[in-house]
Structures are given as C-alpha cells and as structure tokens.
Amino acid sequence: MKKIYASIIGLAIAGSGFAQNAAVATQKLRGGHTVALEAPVSTPSAAATGDTIGGYYWDFSDQNAWVLGNSSTPAADWEFTTAGPTGQYSSSYGILNSTTAANGWVMFDSDALGNGTYNAWIQLANSVDLTGYGSVAVTFQQLSARYQEATYLEVSTDGTNWTTYEVNANQAVNTASSSDGDIVSVNVSGVAANASTVWIRFRYEGAWDYAWQIDDVAIVEGANYDLGMSNVWHGDILNAFEYQEIPMAQAQEVVIGAACTNLGGQAMTNAVYTYDISDGSSSVASGTFPASNTSIDPTVTDTTWYSTGFTPSAVGQYTVTVSVSSDQSDENSSNDEKMSAFYVTDYVYGHDDIDNITVQISGGSDGNSSPNEFKAAMYYEVFADATLTAVQVAFGSNTSTSSCIVEVFDPANDQSLTNPLITEVYDIQAADISSGSSLVLVDIPLDGGNGVLLSAGGLYLISVGNTGPGESLTFLASDGDADRASLRYGPYGSGGAVDWYTGWSTSPIIRGNFDPTVGIQENEDVTGVQIYPNPVADNLTVRFEAKQDQDFTVRVLNVAGQMVLSSQSKTKAGQKITKNFNVENLAAGVYMVQIQGATASYTQRVIVQ
C-alpha cells in the first residue's frame, strides 16, 4: 500500500516557535505536492581500532590550535570553558567530565545565547598530514543535549570545501549523552585517507536549543575492513508504515529493511544480510538476501529492502535479527548485527515503541508558546475490514485540559482533514494521567463502543487534540518516527502558520483499539470486585460476585493488549468467584486485569513488581 500522504506533503519548513519538549516539524501537509521518499542512511561512525596518528591529539589547552568562525544572526562563536553551559535548560544537563576537563574544553551554548539563527564552527588552525594512512577516523568526547539542532564533524583537504558528517542525529529529543564523556568516532577515510593536507572542524547549526560540549579530539588509524549494521526495520517505511503493535486481524508480511555502513578504509564487496525472525521461543523464519550495492565504498551506507514471505499467525512478541557479512574478513564483528522487535496483539494497533516510552510531546499552552489549537495524530493502514471501537492514549503529566477531542479522518477522501468520520469529546479524569514511571492507558470509546467501520485498503488518521486554544495536552511517546506516520496540528509553520505538519521525530501513544468489548458497560452485572495485592510480586487474587447467570473470563493483559493469563468461570446469580494467578514469571510493569462477561466487564490496572 502506497502512502497516500506522500502525494500531499509540501516542502515548507516549519518554524521553531514552540516549547522545548516537542520535536520540530520539517514538512507541511498540503495538497498538490509530492515528496521523494529516499532510503534512510545512518551516520558513518564506529569505534576506531588503531592508535593516534602522528600525535594528532587536542585537549584544548592550547587555544591557538583552533580558529573560530560563524555566520550566525546575531553573531555568536564557540567558547573555551572550564565551567560548562549557563543556559536555563542547557545547564541542567551538567558539564562535560572528559578525560582532560581540568584544562578546559569547548562548547556552543545556544540556550544561553537565546533566540537566534546559529551557524558556528571551531576549526583546526593548521592542516595535518595523513599520507600513508588508508583508514582514518576522528574521535572525541562530548556531552550533547539534543533538541532540534544539528551537530556536525566536517573534513576538508583544501580548507575551503567541506564534507559533512552529522553526529547525534539519532539522539532522542530532550535527552543528553553521558556527562562522563560520550566517546564518538567518525570514519573519515572517504575524504581524508592518504591526504597530505586535512582540516577538521565542529559545526553547530540551529535555533535556540541546548548546548554541545567537546573535548579530547584525536585522529586515529581505523580498520581497513569493517562493515557495520546501521539500522534494521521490520516494515517498509518508504511505501507503507512500521508498527510496533499490530492486531492479529491486520497482520501482514514482514518486510525487512537493512542498512549497513562501510566503517573501514577499503571497499567491501558482495555484502550479504542474514536474517532470523523469532517468536520468543523459536525461529519462525530465516534466510539471506544480497545488499543492493555489489561494492560498498568507505563511509557509504547500503539500504536494502526484502520481502520475507512470512506473516505472523499468532499473538506474541516477534524479533527480527539481521547481520551482515562480505567477501572481506571483518575486523570488528561487534557491530555486525542489529534487531527490531514488534508485538502482534489481540486488538491494539500502535506505532509507539512500548518498551521505550521515554518522551513527552505537548501542545496548546505550556508556558513557552502562545495558546493554540493542538492535535497529535498517527496514520494507520487497514488491510481487513474492521470496526475501530476505541482510541487508546496515554496522557502526560503536563496535561491541564479537562477534556480532549478524538477524531478519525479518511485522508484519501478528505485531504484537508476537516471532515472527520467520527468525533468524540472525552472528559479527562485525574486518574487518566500518567505520572512518574506509572503508565496509564486510557481507552476512549467511539460512539459508545459501537465504533466506526474502517474499510480494507484504506489509510486512516487517528487524532487527539485539545478542545480549545490555551488548553495544554501532553502525550507519552517513544522516540523515532522513521516512517513519517506522526502528524501535529498547530502553529508550527513559518511565521507561526497553523496547519497540519509531518516529519516529527516522536511516536505518541495514540493507538487504535478494535476490541469489541470496549463499549460494554463496566460493573453492569458484576459487583464486589477485589483485586489484590496491588502492587503484586507473586500471587494475585481476583474476587467478584455475579448479579445474574453468566459465563465470565478473567484475563491479565500486558500494555500491548496481549493476554498473558486467563481463567474462565460459569457462574450463577449471587455466586462469589475467586481466581488466583501466579505472576512471578511476568516481567515487571503495568498490566490490566479484565473481568468480562456476556454483557459486562470490569477492568483494573495492577503493577507487577
């Protein structure tokens, strides 16, 4: 299935006039334009294997070894420091505790500088000679606090023309690398190998963000032959979407995307990817496929897509593992393998990485932006006719609105996204808001649980937003949205233009739920419910009383909606039921206990320690 939205995305770049707890939008959704979707690539970085070349090592004790430059508005340069950043946000991430921090390091602290458009670099004053070295890398220690800035290592052989290597591109928004000195190594063999004059520089580009701190820079001898896996996807993110939770009824063939980068100094030939798909207990599919490029030159990334022919047929967690090999003997086998995991669920459809919910995205009004209408939305493909009975969300702790609007759109027939198929207003309760490490999943029924029918072959957009300007709404999310499935509505365009925007780097918990029991009224035919202890470490007890003759099923569900434990009872009116579950083998976390009958259900969250 082709991405419908790919034909309606414009190339307008969004502005940065919103809070530092949301990712920057990069493309605007509008009619009549097409975006070319290119194969993803990764930063060509790896651990170098050799010693420092020619004593080329800089600890910034000699400031004369470097020159500063910028084209920023207002003008702003890198700083030599022993104290670290002073910005309100950047200082909260700490100072770089590098190997030679005592004699100082360098940084660009855009947060302390405030509003501006920054493009600043720190460059070697004199070139270095790398003649005779066929594989070279630049290493350095850093503390990178990431928001929407871009950070680059650049290399030149003439001091004028520069080859750019982006670093920290995959770092999550609103996170920082280790203050103990995150060691970064970038393979620059494609430019610098055997060159008699080589300059390097570090460049910071972006608006008002955080800070980038650097120390202990060295040029080292790298491996001649080192092919490393850069990325693995379990879905076709170019023509379709990659899901982390997939309802059994919507399961499709696993399409693997594999990317490897030549991290050495010599070309690698006839690369082959080997894959295995496991259901947690055994291999369910495996095989090999060749890389798209017969020969992969130094610093070049190969991205190959492969249809496995395997479609999951059972609920559970699946892990796709891919490794790479070539004609040459790899000198660093530690980076030859990567994995990508997903869940097949009973009813829940989601993009977010349920095992890595570390991000919050906000909109509306959060103290750093003007009050506005805000919506967050996710795209979902439908392969078989299904009734969407509820939308599952996780509200973040900064939510201040008392209600939200849930909408489902059909973009193929409504490109303006102004005529939803269904609209629900939901009153948010205090118990609905997640806090700390407690993840609260809220199912918002559509039409009382009757839902809306989604047709096979369709692509739909599920949106949740505030009910008016100025009301802050926050969602828990995971980092990463390589398939561009996430949209936001708000003033994120140039000059604060309000519209739908895509290109965000996070996947909020806005899931589709196709559970047919969602609309059944809880407690209608069950009373006296006791579920204890909570939290529980070993034995969980569930007690309740049936109001009328009815068959009940008691289920324990994980956060993906998968049933992990269950028990059935045939009850008479007034009968008291006790069920015991041993949860010692369950992973620690949040679970849902559901008591379900023919006409009623009761659900309660429990925490397994």
Side-chain angles (χ1 to χ4, degrees):
M1 178 185 295
K2 287 287 185 180
K3 291 186 179 179
I4 293 175
Y5 84 81
S7 64
I8 55 175
I9 296 176
L11 291 177
I13 301 300
S16 59
F18 53 100
Q20 283 187 274
N21 58 357
V24 63
T26 57
Q27 296 174 314
K28 180 179 177 181
L29 188 72
R30 59 166 28 154
H33 298 281
T34 300
V35 167
L37 298 176
E38 299 179 355
V41 298
S42 298
T43 302
S45 61
T49 59
D51 296 327
T52 301
I53 294 173
Y56 297 142
Y57 170 81
W58 300 270
D59 62 5
F60 296 103
S61 58
D62 179 10
Q63 297 185 15
N64 293 325
W66 299 86
V67 293
L68 307 177
N70 79 85
S71 59
S72 303
T73 305
D77 280 321
W78 283 70
E79 306 170 60
F80 293 86
T81 182
T82 57
T86 60
Q88 176 184 357
Y89 297 101
S90 59
S91 60
S92 66
Y93 287 110
I95 63 175
L96 176 60
N97 184 25
S98 57
T99 302
T100 64
N103 61 23
W105 63 95
V106 294
M107 69 176 180
F108 191 84
D109 186 4
S110 75
D111 185 30
L113 295 168
N115 288 326
T117 302
Y118 301 113
N119 185 6
W121 54 88
I122 180 167
Q123 173 184 330
L124 275 181
N126 300 302
S127 67
V128 298
D129 185 357
L130 299 180
T131 303
Y133 293 96
S135 179
V136 293
V138 175
T139 68
F140 56 94
Q141 295 184 42
Q142 69 162 3
L143 198 169
S144 166
R146 171 92 171 154
Y147 175 47
Q148 60 180 344
E149 67 273 31
T151 52
Y152 303 104
L153 168 73
E154 296 185 313
V155 181
S156 175
T157 57
D158 59 11
T160 301
N161 300 294
W162 298 87
T163 298
T164 297
Y165 301 90
E166 185 171 4
V167 294
N168 306 312
N170 296 323
Q171 184 178 337
V173 173
N174 290 323
T175 65
S177 56
S178 172
S179 61
D180 289 332
D182 185 26
I183 299 176
V184 178
S185 181
V186 180
N187 178 8
V188 297
S189 302
V191 178
N194 292 306
S196 59
T197 57
V198 175
W199 286 265
I200 63 172
R201 72 181 187 183
F202 297 92
R203 184 166 64 86
Y204 182 105
E205 182 178 354
W208 170 47
D209 298 312
Y210 293 129
W212 191 22
Q213 305 175 63
I214 291 174
D215 198 5
D216 300 317
V217 179
I219 298 180
V220 301
E221 186 174 4
N224 286 316
Y225 299 106
D226 183 12
L227 199 59
M229 289 298 301
S230 308
N231 231 321
V232 170
W233 299 272
H234 59 262
D236 183 354
I237 66 172
L238 300 186
N239 300 303
F241 294 93
E242 182 184 55
Y243 303 97
Q244 308 307 315
E245 304 96 41
I246 306 168
M248 187 68 253
Q250 304 297 331
Q252 293 293 299
E253 177 187 16
V254 174
V255 176
I256 294 176
C260 73
T261 302
N262 186 345
L263 306 170
Q266 303 297 320
M268 307 285 278
T269 57
N270 297 318
V272 173
Y273 297 104
T274 299
Y275 73 92
D276 179 80
I277 304 175
S278 169
D279 64 0
S281 59
S282 61
S283 174
V284 293
S286 60
T288 62
F289 54 95
S292 298
N293 296 295
T294 304
S295 179
I296 305 174
D297 290 331
T299 73
V300 171
T301 295
D302 171 88
T303 303
T304 301
W305 299 92
Y306 181 74
S307 299
T308 65
F310 169 74
T311 300
S313 58
V315 170
Q317 183 178 16
Y318 293 82
T319 302
V320 178
T321 304
V322 181
S323 60
V324 66
S325 59
S326 70
D327 287 342
Q328 290 72 33
S329 178
D330 200 300
E331 297 176 33
N332 179 19
S333 60
S334 64
N335 56 22
D336 292 348
E337 181 178 285
K338 274 190 175 293
M339 297 182 293
S340 182
F342 63 96
Y343 291 88
V344 174
T345 71
D346 290 311
Y347 304 114
V348 175
Y349 215 168
H351 284 280
D352 59 275
D353 182 356
I354 64 176
D355 297 318
N356 190 30
I357 304 298
T358 59
V359 182
Q360 294 194 39
I361 64 105
S362 294
S365 178
D366 52 19
N368 293 310
S369 59
S370 301
N372 60 79
E373 184 179 0
F374 168 73
K375 299 176 184 179
M378 302 298 298
Y379 275 112
Y380 287 97
E381 299 164 287
V382 175
F383 301 101
D385 289 351
T387 298
L388 180 68
T389 56
V391 172
Q392 188 175 94
V393 299
F395 296 110
S397 58
N398 291 332
T399 294
S400 64
T401 181
S402 59
S403 59
C404 66
I405 296 178
V406 178
E407 297 170 303
V408 180
F409 296 95
D410 178 2
N413 298 305
D414 178 25
Q415 288 197 3
S416 63
L417 301 181
T418 56
N419 299 297
L421 299 176
I422 192 169
T423 301
E424 289 286 346
V425 177
Y426 177 76
D427 293 329
I428 302 173
Q429 307 298 315
D432 292 335
I433 298 177
S434 300
S435 61
S437 60
S438 175
L439 173 65
V440 178
L441 297 173
V442 180
D443 283 310
I444 302 175
L446 301 178
D447 189 21
N450 293 318
V452 58
L453 179 63
L454 306 184
S455 301
L459 176 64
Y460 298 90
L461 191 70
I462 299 176
S463 167
V464 182
N466 58 11
T467 53
E471 296 179 340
S472 178
L473 193 60
T474 305
F475 302 97
L476 298 188
S478 61
D479 183 58
D481 186 37
D483 58 0
R484 301 181 184 180
S486 183
L487 298 182
R488 309 281 192 276
Y489 181 87
Y492 306 131
S494 177
V498 177
D499 210 325
W500 284 99
Y501 294 88
T502 188
W504 301 79
S505 61
T506 52
S507 296
I509 297 182
I510 298 179
R511 306 171 180 168
N513 192 343
F514 297 86
D515 187 346
T517 69
V518 166
I520 298 175
Q521 174 154 0
E522 296 191 349
N523 292 321
E524 180 180 332
D525 285 317
V526 64
T527 187
V529 178
Q530 295 177 292
I531 300 175
Y532 63 90
N534 188 12
V536 59
D538 42 31
N539 293 308
L540 179 69
T541 299
V542 179
R543 290 180 176 172
F544 62 95
E545 180 180 331
K547 291 184 178 180
Q548 57 182 266
D549 295 357
Q550 193 168 172
D551 292 343
F552 278 95
T553 300
V554 181
R555 301 187 298 173
V556 179
L557 310 175
N558 63 18
V559 292
Q562 301 168 301
M563 183 175 67
V564 294
L565 297 169
S566 69
S567 178
Q568 294 182 329
S569 295
K570 186 179 291 291
T571 65
K572 296 291 186 180
Q575 182 179 356
K576 295 181 178 179
I577 304 299
T578 299
K579 295 290 183 182
N580 295 303
F581 296 94
N582 188 318
V583 299
E584 288 181 309
N585 293 326
L586 296 182
V590 178
Y591 292 80
M592 308 297 289
V593 175
Q594 184 181 72
I595 304 170
Q596 182 181 317
T599 61
S601 72
Y602 177 92
T603 304
Q604 179 176 315
R605 287 178 287 271
V606 297
I607 298 174
V608 175
Q609 295 180 326

